[in-house]
Structure formats: structure tokens, C-alpha cells
Amino acid sequence: MSMTTTKGGKGKSNGQAKAGVMRSPVFAEVGLPPDPDNLYTQTVDVMLHAAELLGVPHEVQIILAQPKNEIMVHFPVRMDNGDYRLFKGYRVQHNNALGPYKGGLRFHPHVHLDDVKSLALLMTMKCALVRLPFGGGKGGVKCDPYSMSPAELMRVTRRFCAAISHAIGPDYDIPAPDVGTNAQVMAWFADTYESLTDSNRSSWDALRVVTGKPVEVGGSLGREKATGQGVVDVCVELLPEMGINVKGMRFSVLGFGNVGSWTARIFQDLGAKLVAVMDHTGGIRNDGGIDAHALAGYVAKNGGVDGFEKVQAVTGSGNKKGQGATKISANEFYSTPVDVLVPAALEQMIKPDQAKIINAKVVAEGANAPTTPAGDRVLMDRGIEIIPAILANSGGVTVSYFEWVQNKSCTTWSVEKVDAELNRLMVAAATRTKMARKKYNTDMRSAAYIAALEQIGKVYAVRGIFP
Ligand code: GLU
């Protein structure tokens, strides 16, 4: 069972062998038909490839190839017009060997079981890589939060919480924000959970059931920007060795929500230049630099980057440094020359077609699973470095952990303390990944998974498997 004496398992002979071939016998053993287009089987394949390189025992591989629990619920909600609509919700609990299940809740029209399973597995890997005492989970509701009124969104949140309240808990499974949810949604969720659970329990303890809450109800300073801050911390640590100086570098961002906009603002404040942005509404470019702070304000008001170029044109600021932009197509976005491209939108956006035209030295994955295995192979063949999501975007769950610790100990940390601790853990996770890369002579993604699996393997080795 030793994790240290088995450098390289069956796949050892070629450390550079790429994932994405779904050859592991584990697929058949756990009843998972290999499907190259399915996000869950893609994610399992990457994990199993790393597990083989590391020599993770077979029993741990089969445990990790499927989540422990997959919870699916249907619940009715009264809409503002008086009609009732039935919603579908999920909570997938992938693994809790390292601690309580942990991971966000996504409200999106395309949420479905396999994606949630994949995102839950990624949470297990992220928490293990950063050495947080958490396992991995993920949940969501199939809905369009932007087409609902605040009152409808609140009722959906409260009903969903009620539907899964028996299956979560402050020391068992701790949700957080994700795509389509925010601190307000977490406040409604926490309030509902507290109302439904044991009244003898202190309300502050019950509120610990979710992280990413507003600061007024136990949220942590620094949590809102945490994922973007983590992307930047990891890049500051790794980019110099890739020949890039953050000060003065050119970067582009795909998706300008929480992760994209914070990454852009923090990079800009360190002297980097944002030259292209694309989101679901359109793309913009300015080689002289787009002002990330102005764009964040614009997107908060208008829901997307589209039209930013017109506003600047109307004010007559032209297309100079820090002002305005030109509208561009998706192909123009990907082929804009940059040092670093940060995909910070949804999964599976960088496929071979996009990977072929990306004009970046490094892709730093701010989103979860933004690159498909086939896209990954194209990037690797073209010599483009990838800073993988389980490392690059682990800052969010890390500050979630700080929030949970603060709630548990009835303390509040200053933002300086949060930032310093986040940086310490991000640098340690990046160092672990670099060491695994060197030791196993493999790519960064496999190395990050290896560094995560080392921890999970050790925990299974000492805990054993019940009975
Ligand atoms: N949804 C975020 C993620 O994918 C944060 C999860 C958390 O804080 O638990 O990492």
C-alpha cells in the first residue's frame, strides 16, 4: 500500500503518455462506459492516468472512479405569476476520506448529473492538492438564475436547501457559490438550513453549512476575489520559470464573471496588460490595454462585455491604452497574441479548433475543466504550457476553508491575513506540482493530480477501508 515505493504503476514506462485514451480497466470495473465527449469520463481518465503514474493502489482507483453519493431531487416552486414550476437539483458527494465533502452549487440551464459528478471529483483533487481537510462535492439546480426575479431565486434556493438539508451539514457536506450563485444565495441557503435544523444548536454553527456567505452573516473578507487571487498567486509563482514576467505581460481572459474579472483586475494592478476579453455576449480587444476595473464596472451593470467598445467611443476616449476596445470575433479572440490566456468561463470551451489557433505561451485555467483532453493534446503538441485548474483555481475553496475555520472558532481574520495565508497555500501547492512534474517527468496537469493523489493515497493507506 506504500505510495512512495511504487513510482510509476502500469503506465510508468512512458511518463509523458497523455491522458484521454480511456484505456484503464477501471472504467469497465466500475461500470463507466468510456465516452471521449463526456466530461465525467474525461475527468476520470485524467485522474486514472495520474493514478497509474503514481502507482495508486487499485482499490483506491476504483473508489475514486465513482462518487460516493449522487443525490437528485425534484422540487416545486411558486413563480411570481402564481404558477408552480418543478425544478431538478443535484448534490454529488464524491469523496470524504480527507474531511467533509466541499464544493459549490451551480445554477445554470445546462446543469446535469455527469457535469456535477465531474466537478465534484475535481473538488476532491483540489482540496487534496492544497492539503485542505476537505473532500469533494458539487451541486446545482437546472435553472436560469438571470431570468428569475430575486424573489423567485430566493424561493428556488430555499426549496432546494430544504430538499437536500438531510444530506448536508456543517461538518459533513459544505456547499459554496459557483457559476450562477453568489453570497446572497448562500445567505438564503444558510438561513433556510438554520431554520430547519436543531434549534438548540447555535445559529452561527448552523450557518457554517455553507461558505462564500456575505461578511455580515459569517463570510470571510477576501472570499469574493479569492479564486482570481489564487489564479494570480499561482501564476506569480510559476510564470517566471516559463520565461514570463507578470509586470508588463499581455494577457487575455475568457469569461468576465467573478473569476475572470478578479483575475484581470489583480493582474492589472501588478502591471500586466489585459488585451482581449470574450464572454457569452461578445469579444473585445485593445492592444494598448483594456481597463479591467472599468470593464468590471460595465459588466456588473450590463451583464456582459458586449457594448463596452461603444461606450468608450461615445465618450470619445478612442482606442488607446486603458480606454475602449474594438469588437472581435471568437476566432480573433483566441488568436490574439498574449503571454497568458486565462479561460475563466465554463467547461469544455477549449477544444482542438480553439487550441489550434490560441496564440499564448501559457494557458492558466481559472475555470473548472475548460480544456477538453483533445484540446489539451493540441496545446501540448504546440508547446503551450497549461497551469491546470485544480491548481490554478483552488484559491476559492481555500478561502472557503478559512471562512469555515473562522466560523468554527468564532473569530474574524483581516483581509491581509486571508491574503497572506492564501498565498502561502497556493505557493505550496504550486511547488508540490512542480516537484511531481520533475519526479514523474510528466505534464503539469498529470503532476497536479499526482500531487493530490499522493495525499489521498496516504490517507487511505493509514485509515484502511471499512470494515
Ligand atoms: N465553486 C468553487 C470551486 O469550484 C468554490 C468551492 C468552495 O468554495 O467550496 O472551486
Side-chain angles (χ1 to χ4, degrees), residues 339-398:
D339 295 299
V340 178
L341 165 67
V342 182
L346 292 172
E347 303 81 38
Q348 296 184 307
M349 305 226 21
I350 302 180
K351 297 181 174 142
D353 281 352
Q354 289 75 32
K356 275 183 214 149
I357 59 170
I358 282 178
N359 195 350
K361 293 180 192 137
V362 175
V363 171
E365 295 182 336
N368 289 307
T371 314
T372 66
D376 219 32
R377 283 194 290 278
V378 174
L379 292 178
M380 278 202 251
D381 289 345
R382 294 186 56 218
I384 297 171
E385 285 277 10
I386 302 161
I387 303 181
I390 62 164
L391 172 62
N393 82 12
S394 56
V397 70
T398 302

Short mmCIF file of all heavy atoms in Angstrom, two decimals, residues 339-398:
data_model
loop_
_atom_site.label_atom_id
_atom_site.label_comp_id
_atom_site.label_asym_id
_atom_site.label_seq_id
_atom_site.Cartn_x
_atom_site.Cartn_y
_atom_site.Cartn_z
N ASP A 339 0.84 36.61 -23.67
CA ASP A 339 1.70 35.70 -22.90
C ASP A 339 0.84 34.64 -22.22
O ASP A 339 1.17 33.46 -22.22
CB ASP A 339 2.49 36.50 -21.85
CG ASP A 339 3.45 37.48 -22.49
OD1 ASP A 339 4.35 37.01 -23.22
OD2 ASP A 339 3.29 38.70 -22.32
N VAL A 340 -0.28 35.10 -21.63
CA VAL A 340 -1.12 34.19 -20.85
C VAL A 340 -2.59 34.35 -21.24
O VAL A 340 -3.10 35.48 -21.31
CB VAL A 340 -0.97 34.46 -19.33
CG1 VAL A 340 -1.87 33.55 -18.51
CG2 VAL A 340 0.48 34.28 -18.89
N LEU A 341 -3.23 33.24 -21.51
CA LEU A 341 -4.69 33.22 -21.72
C LEU A 341 -5.32 32.58 -20.50
O LEU A 341 -4.90 31.49 -20.08
CB LEU A 341 -5.04 32.42 -22.98
CG LEU A 341 -6.50 31.98 -23.17
CD1 LEU A 341 -7.41 33.18 -23.40
CD2 LEU A 341 -6.65 31.02 -24.31
N VAL A 342 -6.30 33.26 -19.90
CA VAL A 342 -6.98 32.71 -18.71
C VAL A 342 -8.42 32.34 -19.08
O VAL A 342 -9.28 33.21 -19.17
CB VAL A 342 -7.02 33.74 -17.55
CG1 VAL A 342 -7.67 33.12 -16.31
CG2 VAL A 342 -5.62 34.24 -17.21
N PRO A 343 -8.71 31.04 -19.34
CA PRO A 343 -10.09 30.65 -19.52
C PRO A 343 -10.77 30.65 -18.16
O PRO A 343 -10.35 29.95 -17.25
CB PRO A 343 -10.01 29.24 -20.12
CG PRO A 343 -8.63 28.75 -19.86
CD PRO A 343 -7.78 29.91 -19.45
N ALA A 344 -11.81 31.48 -18.01
CA ALA A 344 -12.46 31.61 -16.70
C ALA A 344 -13.98 31.55 -16.87
O ALA A 344 -14.72 32.22 -16.17
CB ALA A 344 -12.03 32.93 -16.04
N ALA A 345 -14.41 30.74 -17.85
CA ALA A 345 -15.86 30.63 -18.09
C ALA A 345 -16.30 29.21 -17.74
O ALA A 345 -16.04 28.75 -16.63
CB ALA A 345 -16.15 30.99 -19.54
N LEU A 346 -16.92 28.52 -18.67
CA LEU A 346 -17.45 27.18 -18.37
C LEU A 346 -16.47 26.09 -18.80
O LEU A 346 -15.40 26.36 -19.32
CB LEU A 346 -18.80 27.00 -19.06
CG LEU A 346 -19.93 27.88 -18.50
CD1 LEU A 346 -21.16 27.76 -19.38
CD2 LEU A 346 -20.25 27.51 -17.05
N GLU A 347 -16.92 24.83 -18.63
CA GLU A 347 -16.11 23.68 -19.02
C GLU A 347 -16.08 23.51 -20.53
O GLU A 347 -16.96 23.99 -21.25
CB GLU A 347 -16.69 22.38 -18.43
CG GLU A 347 -16.83 22.35 -16.93
CD GLU A 347 -18.08 23.06 -16.47
OE1 GLU A 347 -19.12 22.97 -17.14
OE2 GLU A 347 -17.99 23.75 -15.44
N GLN A 348 -15.11 22.74 -20.98
CA GLN A 348 -15.01 22.24 -22.37
C GLN A 348 -15.05 23.34 -23.43
O GLN A 348 -15.58 23.14 -24.51
CB GLN A 348 -16.14 21.23 -22.64
CG GLN A 348 -16.03 19.98 -21.77
CD GLN A 348 -17.08 18.95 -22.11
OE1 GLN A 348 -18.28 19.25 -22.14
NE2 GLN A 348 -16.67 17.73 -22.38
N MET A 349 -14.48 24.51 -23.13
CA MET A 349 -14.50 25.60 -24.11
C MET A 349 -13.33 25.51 -25.08
O MET A 349 -13.41 25.92 -26.21
CB MET A 349 -14.49 26.95 -23.40
CG MET A 349 -15.63 27.03 -22.42
SD MET A 349 -16.66 28.48 -22.37
CE MET A 349 -16.57 29.35 -23.80
N ILE A 350 -12.19 24.97 -24.60
CA ILE A 350 -11.01 24.88 -25.48
C ILE A 350 -10.93 23.47 -26.04
O ILE A 350 -10.47 22.53 -25.39
CB ILE A 350 -9.73 25.29 -24.73
CG1 ILE A 350 -9.89 26.73 -24.19
CG2 ILE A 350 -8.52 25.19 -25.65
CD1 ILE A 350 -8.71 27.25 -23.44
N LYS A 351 -11.45 23.35 -27.25
CA LYS A 351 -11.42 22.08 -27.98
C LYS A 351 -10.31 22.21 -29.03
O LYS A 351 -9.68 23.28 -29.14
CB LYS A 351 -12.78 21.86 -28.63
CG LYS A 351 -13.88 21.73 -27.60
CD LYS A 351 -15.23 21.49 -28.24
CE LYS A 351 -16.24 21.23 -27.14
NZ LYS A 351 -17.54 21.78 -27.35
N PRO A 352 -10.04 21.16 -29.84
CA PRO A 352 -8.95 21.28 -30.81
C PRO A 352 -9.06 22.51 -31.71
O PRO A 352 -8.04 23.17 -31.97
CB PRO A 352 -9.07 19.98 -31.61
CG PRO A 352 -9.62 19.01 -30.62
CD PRO A 352 -10.59 19.80 -29.78
N ASP A 353 -10.26 22.88 -32.14
CA ASP A 353 -10.39 24.05 -33.03
C ASP A 353 -9.85 25.32 -32.38
O ASP A 353 -9.21 26.14 -33.03
CB ASP A 353 -11.86 24.28 -33.40
CG ASP A 353 -12.30 23.32 -34.48
OD1 ASP A 353 -11.42 22.61 -35.02
OD2 ASP A 353 -13.51 23.27 -34.77
N GLN A 354 -10.14 25.50 -31.11
CA GLN A 354 -9.67 26.69 -30.40
C GLN A 354 -8.17 26.52 -30.09
O GLN A 354 -7.38 27.45 -30.25
CB GLN A 354 -10.44 26.90 -29.09
CG GLN A 354 -11.88 27.34 -29.25
CD GLN A 354 -12.80 26.22 -29.70
OE1 GLN A 354 -12.59 25.06 -29.37
NE2 GLN A 354 -13.84 26.57 -30.46
N ALA A 355 -7.79 25.30 -29.64
CA ALA A 355 -6.39 25.06 -29.24
C ALA A 355 -5.43 25.31 -30.40
O ALA A 355 -4.32 25.79 -30.20
CB ALA A 355 -6.24 23.63 -28.71
N LYS A 356 -5.89 25.01 -31.62
CA LYS A 356 -5.03 25.19 -32.79
C LYS A 356 -4.70 26.65 -33.05
O LYS A 356 -3.66 26.96 -33.60
CB LYS A 356 -5.75 24.64 -34.03
CG LYS A 356 -5.56 23.15 -34.23
CD LYS A 356 -6.25 22.70 -35.51
CE LYS A 356 -6.79 21.31 -35.30
NZ LYS A 356 -7.99 21.01 -36.05
N ILE A 357 -5.61 27.56 -32.68
CA ILE A 357 -5.37 28.98 -33.02
C ILE A 357 -4.96 29.83 -31.82
O ILE A 357 -4.68 31.01 -31.97
CB ILE A 357 -6.60 29.60 -33.72
CG1 ILE A 357 -7.84 29.52 -32.84
CG2 ILE A 357 -6.83 28.98 -35.09
CD1 ILE A 357 -9.03 30.32 -33.38
N ILE A 358 -4.95 29.23 -30.64
CA ILE A 358 -4.54 30.01 -29.45
C ILE A 358 -3.10 30.50 -29.65
O ILE A 358 -2.23 29.74 -30.03
CB ILE A 358 -4.68 29.16 -28.16
CG1 ILE A 358 -6.17 29.11 -27.77
CG2 ILE A 358 -3.83 29.73 -27.02
CD1 ILE A 358 -6.47 28.27 -26.55
N ASN A 359 -2.93 31.80 -29.37
CA ASN A 359 -1.62 32.42 -29.60
C ASN A 359 -1.07 32.90 -28.25
O ASN A 359 -0.92 34.10 -28.02
CB ASN A 359 -1.80 33.59 -30.59
CG ASN A 359 -0.48 34.06 -31.16
OD1 ASN A 359 0.58 33.65 -30.69
ND2 ASN A 359 -0.55 34.92 -32.17
N ALA A 360 -0.87 31.92 -27.35
CA ALA A 360 -0.41 32.24 -25.99
C ALA A 360 0.75 31.32 -25.63
O ALA A 360 0.86 30.22 -26.18
CB ALA A 360 -1.55 32.03 -24.99
N LYS A 361 1.59 31.77 -24.70
CA LYS A 361 2.65 30.88 -24.23
C LYS A 361 2.12 29.94 -23.14
O LYS A 361 2.57 28.83 -22.98
CB LYS A 361 3.81 31.71 -23.65
CG LYS A 361 4.54 32.53 -24.72
CD LYS A 361 5.69 33.34 -24.09
CE LYS A 361 6.19 34.36 -25.08
NZ LYS A 361 6.45 35.67 -24.47
N VAL A 362 1.16 30.48 -22.37
CA VAL A 362 0.63 29.73 -21.22
C VAL A 362 -0.89 29.86 -21.17
O VAL A 362 -1.44 30.94 -21.42
CB VAL A 362 1.23 30.29 -19.89
CG1 VAL A 362 0.61 29.61 -18.68
CG2 VAL A 362 2.75 30.16 -19.87
N VAL A 363 -1.57 28.76 -20.86
CA VAL A 363 -3.00 28.79 -20.57
C VAL A 363 -3.15 28.53 -19.07
O VAL A 363 -2.77 27.44 -18.59
CB VAL A 363 -3.78 27.74 -21.40
CG1 VAL A 363 -5.22 27.63 -20.94
CG2 VAL A 363 -3.72 28.09 -22.89
N ALA A 364 -3.64 29.50 -18.33
CA ALA A 364 -3.83 29.35 -16.89
C ALA A 364 -5.32 29.17 -16.63
O ALA A 364 -6.10 30.10 -16.78
CB ALA A 364 -3.29 30.57 -16.14
N GLU A 365 -5.71 27.95 -16.24
CA GLU A 365 -7.13 27.58 -16.18
C GLU A 365 -7.82 28.14 -14.93
O GLU A 365 -7.74 27.55 -13.85
CB GLU A 365 -7.28 26.07 -16.24
CG GLU A 365 -6.81 25.47 -17.56
CD GLU A 365 -7.02 23.96 -17.63
OE1 GLU A 365 -7.08 23.30 -16.57
OE2 GLU A 365 -7.12 23.44 -18.76
N GLY A 366 -8.53 29.26 -15.09
CA GLY A 366 -9.29 29.83 -13.98
C GLY A 366 -10.61 29.11 -13.77
O GLY A 366 -11.12 29.02 -12.65
N ALA A 367 -11.18 28.57 -14.84
CA ALA A 367 -12.44 27.82 -14.75
C ALA A 367 -12.13 26.37 -14.43
O ALA A 367 -10.99 25.93 -14.55
CB ALA A 367 -13.18 27.91 -16.08
N ASN A 368 -13.16 25.61 -14.07
CA ASN A 368 -13.00 24.18 -13.90
C ASN A 368 -13.08 23.51 -15.27
O ASN A 368 -14.01 23.77 -16.04
CB ASN A 368 -14.14 23.63 -13.02
CG ASN A 368 -13.98 24.06 -11.57
OD1 ASN A 368 -12.92 23.86 -10.96
ND2 ASN A 368 -15.02 24.68 -11.01
N ALA A 369 -12.12 22.65 -15.57
CA ALA A 369 -12.13 21.82 -16.79
C ALA A 369 -12.44 22.61 -18.07
O ALA A 369 -13.26 22.18 -18.88
CB ALA A 369 -13.13 20.67 -16.62
N PRO A 370 -11.77 23.74 -18.32
CA PRO A 370 -12.08 24.49 -19.54
C PRO A 370 -11.51 23.87 -20.80
O PRO A 370 -11.93 24.22 -21.90
CB PRO A 370 -11.41 25.85 -19.29
CG PRO A 370 -10.28 25.55 -18.37
CD PRO A 370 -10.72 24.41 -17.51
N THR A 371 -10.55 22.94 -20.66
CA THR A 371 -9.88 22.36 -21.82
C THR A 371 -10.27 20.89 -21.96
O THR A 371 -10.15 20.13 -20.99
CB THR A 371 -8.34 22.47 -21.64
OG1 THR A 371 -8.02 23.78 -21.18
CG2 THR A 371 -7.61 22.20 -22.93
N THR A 372 -10.72 20.48 -23.13
CA THR A 372 -11.04 19.05 -23.32
C THR A 372 -9.73 18.28 -23.47
O THR A 372 -8.71 18.86 -23.85
CB THR A 372 -11.90 18.82 -24.57
OG1 THR A 372 -11.11 19.16 -25.73
CG2 THR A 372 -13.18 19.64 -24.55
N PRO A 373 -9.73 16.96 -23.24
CA PRO A 373 -8.49 16.19 -23.43
C PRO A 373 -7.94 16.35 -24.85
O PRO A 373 -6.72 16.46 -25.02
CB PRO A 373 -8.92 14.75 -23.16
CG PRO A 373 -10.07 14.90 -22.22
CD PRO A 373 -10.80 16.13 -22.66
N ALA A 374 -8.81 16.41 -25.85
CA ALA A 374 -8.32 16.57 -27.22
C ALA A 374 -7.70 17.96 -27.40
O ALA A 374 -6.66 18.11 -28.05
CB ALA A 374 -9.46 16.35 -28.21
N GLY A 375 -8.32 18.97 -26.80
CA GLY A 375 -7.76 20.33 -26.83
C GLY A 375 -6.42 20.37 -26.11
O GLY A 375 -5.47 21.01 -26.56
N ASP A 376 -6.37 19.66 -25.00
CA ASP A 376 -5.15 19.55 -24.19
C ASP A 376 -3.99 19.01 -25.03
O ASP A 376 -2.88 19.53 -24.98
CB ASP A 376 -5.47 18.52 -23.09
CG ASP A 376 -4.88 18.89 -21.77
OD1 ASP A 376 -4.78 20.08 -21.48
OD2 ASP A 376 -4.54 17.97 -21.01
N ARG A 377 -4.28 17.96 -25.80
CA ARG A 377 -3.22 17.33 -26.62
C ARG A 377 -2.69 18.31 -27.66
O ARG A 377 -1.50 18.38 -27.91
CB ARG A 377 -3.74 16.05 -27.28
CG ARG A 377 -3.80 14.88 -26.31
CD ARG A 377 -3.97 13.57 -27.03
NE ARG A 377 -5.30 13.45 -27.64
CZ ARG A 377 -6.38 13.08 -26.97
NH1 ARG A 377 -6.29 12.80 -25.69
NH2 ARG A 377 -7.55 12.99 -27.59
N VAL A 378 -3.62 19.09 -28.25
CA VAL A 378 -3.18 20.06 -29.26
C VAL A 378 -2.28 21.11 -28.60
O VAL A 378 -1.21 21.44 -29.12
CB VAL A 378 -4.39 20.72 -29.95
CG1 VAL A 378 -3.93 21.85 -30.89
CG2 VAL A 378 -5.21 19.69 -30.71
N LEU A 379 -2.70 21.62 -27.44
CA LEU A 379 -1.89 22.64 -26.75
C LEU A 379 -0.51 22.08 -26.41
O LEU A 379 0.51 22.72 -26.63
CB LEU A 379 -2.59 23.12 -25.48
CG LEU A 379 -3.88 23.93 -25.64
CD1 LEU A 379 -4.46 24.29 -24.27
CD2 LEU A 379 -3.65 25.21 -26.45
N MET A 380 -0.50 20.84 -25.89
CA MET A 380 0.79 20.24 -25.50
C MET A 380 1.67 20.05 -26.72
O MET A 380 2.86 20.35 -26.69
CB MET A 380 0.54 18.90 -24.81
CG MET A 380 0.19 19.03 -23.36
SD MET A 380 0.53 17.49 -22.49
CE MET A 380 -1.11 16.92 -22.19
N ASP A 381 1.10 19.56 -27.81
CA ASP A 381 1.89 19.35 -29.03
C ASP A 381 2.45 20.66 -29.56
O ASP A 381 3.50 20.69 -30.19
CB ASP A 381 1.04 18.68 -30.12
CG ASP A 381 0.75 17.22 -29.78
OD1 ASP A 381 1.43 16.69 -28.87
OD2 ASP A 381 -0.17 16.63 -30.38
N ARG A 382 1.73 21.76 -29.31
CA ARG A 382 2.21 23.07 -29.78
C ARG A 382 3.16 23.73 -28.76
O ARG A 382 3.56 24.86 -28.94
CB ARG A 382 1.01 23.99 -30.05
CG ARG A 382 0.13 23.49 -31.22
CD ARG A 382 -0.96 24.49 -31.56
NE ARG A 382 -0.38 25.78 -31.85
CZ ARG A 382 -0.92 26.96 -31.50
NH1 ARG A 382 -2.07 27.00 -30.85
NH2 ARG A 382 -0.32 28.08 -31.80
N GLY A 383 3.44 23.02 -27.68
CA GLY A 383 4.40 23.53 -26.69
C GLY A 383 3.82 24.63 -25.80
O GLY A 383 4.57 25.40 -25.20
N ILE A 384 2.48 24.71 -25.74
CA ILE A 384 1.86 25.72 -24.87
C ILE A 384 1.72 25.13 -23.47
O ILE A 384 1.17 24.03 -23.31
CB ILE A 384 0.49 26.17 -25.44
CG1 ILE A 384 0.71 26.84 -26.80
CG2 ILE A 384 -0.25 27.08 -24.46
CD1 ILE A 384 -0.56 27.14 -27.57
N GLU A 385 2.23 25.83 -22.48
CA GLU A 385 2.16 25.35 -21.10
C GLU A 385 0.73 25.50 -20.57
O GLU A 385 0.06 26.49 -20.86
CB GLU A 385 3.08 26.18 -20.19
CG GLU A 385 4.55 25.88 -20.35
CD GLU A 385 4.98 24.66 -19.53
OE1 GLU A 385 4.12 23.94 -18.99
OE2 GLU A 385 6.20 24.45 -19.43
N ILE A 386 0.30 24.54 -19.75
CA ILE A 386 -1.03 24.64 -19.13
C ILE A 386 -0.86 24.61 -17.61
O ILE A 386 -0.22 23.70 -17.08
CB ILE A 386 -1.93 23.45 -19.55
CG1 ILE A 386 -2.07 23.41 -21.07
CG2 ILE A 386 -3.30 23.53 -18.88
CD1 ILE A 386 -2.51 22.08 -21.61
N ILE A 387 -1.39 25.64 -16.96
CA ILE A 387 -1.45 25.60 -15.48
C ILE A 387 -2.85 25.07 -15.16
O ILE A 387 -3.85 25.75 -15.40
CB ILE A 387 -1.18 26.98 -14.85
CG1 ILE A 387 0.19 27.51 -15.33
CG2 ILE A 387 -1.23 26.89 -13.34
CD1 ILE A 387 0.59 28.86 -14.77
N PRO A 388 -2.93 23.83 -14.69
CA PRO A 388 -4.22 23.14 -14.63
C PRO A 388 -5.16 23.70 -13.56
O PRO A 388 -4.73 24.22 -12.53
CB PRO A 388 -3.84 21.70 -14.31
CG PRO A 388 -2.54 21.79 -13.61
CD PRO A 388 -1.82 23.00 -14.17
N ALA A 389 -6.46 23.53 -13.83
CA ALA A 389 -7.49 24.11 -12.98
C ALA A 389 -7.39 23.69 -11.52
O ALA A 389 -7.58 24.52 -10.63
CB ALA A 389 -8.87 23.75 -13.53
N ILE A 390 -7.07 22.42 -11.27
CA ILE A 390 -7.12 22.01 -9.85
C ILE A 390 -6.07 22.76 -9.03
O ILE A 390 -6.19 22.89 -7.83
CB ILE A 390 -7.01 20.48 -9.63
CG1 ILE A 390 -5.69 19.91 -10.13
CG2 ILE A 390 -8.20 19.74 -10.22
CD1 ILE A 390 -5.40 18.51 -9.58
N LEU A 391 -5.05 23.28 -9.72
CA LEU A 391 -4.09 24.15 -9.04
C LEU A 391 -4.51 25.62 -9.18
O LEU A 391 -4.68 26.34 -8.19
CB LEU A 391 -2.69 23.95 -9.66
CG LEU A 391 -1.60 24.92 -9.20
CD1 LEU A 391 -1.35 24.79 -7.70
CD2 LEU A 391 -0.30 24.66 -9.97
N ALA A 392 -4.72 26.06 -10.43
CA ALA A 392 -4.92 27.49 -10.68
C ALA A 392 -6.18 28.05 -10.01
O ALA A 392 -6.19 29.19 -9.56
CB ALA A 392 -4.97 27.76 -12.18
N ASN A 393 -7.26 27.25 -9.94
CA ASN A 393 -8.48 27.86 -9.38
C ASN A 393 -8.82 27.36 -7.98
O ASN A 393 -9.97 27.48 -7.55
CB ASN A 393 -9.65 27.78 -10.37
CG ASN A 393 -10.35 26.44 -10.36
OD1 ASN A 393 -10.13 25.60 -9.48
ND2 ASN A 393 -11.23 26.23 -11.32
N SER A 394 -7.82 26.86 -7.27
CA SER A 394 -8.11 26.33 -5.94
C SER A 394 -8.15 27.42 -4.86
O SER A 394 -8.39 27.13 -3.69
CB SER A 394 -7.08 25.26 -5.56
OG SER A 394 -5.77 25.80 -5.65
N GLY A 395 -7.96 28.69 -5.25
CA GLY A 395 -7.99 29.77 -4.25
C GLY A 395 -9.36 29.97 -3.62
O GLY A 395 -9.48 30.33 -2.45
N GLY A 396 -10.42 29.69 -4.40
CA GLY A 396 -11.78 29.89 -3.88
C GLY A 396 -12.08 28.96 -2.72
O GLY A 396 -12.48 29.40 -1.63
N VAL A 397 -11.82 27.69 -2.93
CA VAL A 397 -12.13 26.74 -1.85
C VAL A 397 -11.15 26.92 -0.69
O VAL A 397 -11.49 26.66 0.48
CB VAL A 397 -12.16 25.28 -2.37
CG1 VAL A 397 -10.79 24.76 -2.75
CG2 VAL A 397 -12.79 24.37 -1.32
N THR A 398 -9.96 27.43 -0.96
CA THR A 398 -9.00 27.65 0.13
C THR A 398 -9.52 28.74 1.08
O THR A 398 -9.51 28.57 2.30
CB THR A 398 -7.62 28.03 -0.46
OG1 THR A 398 -7.20 26.96 -1.31
CG2 THR A 398 -6.60 28.24 0.63
#
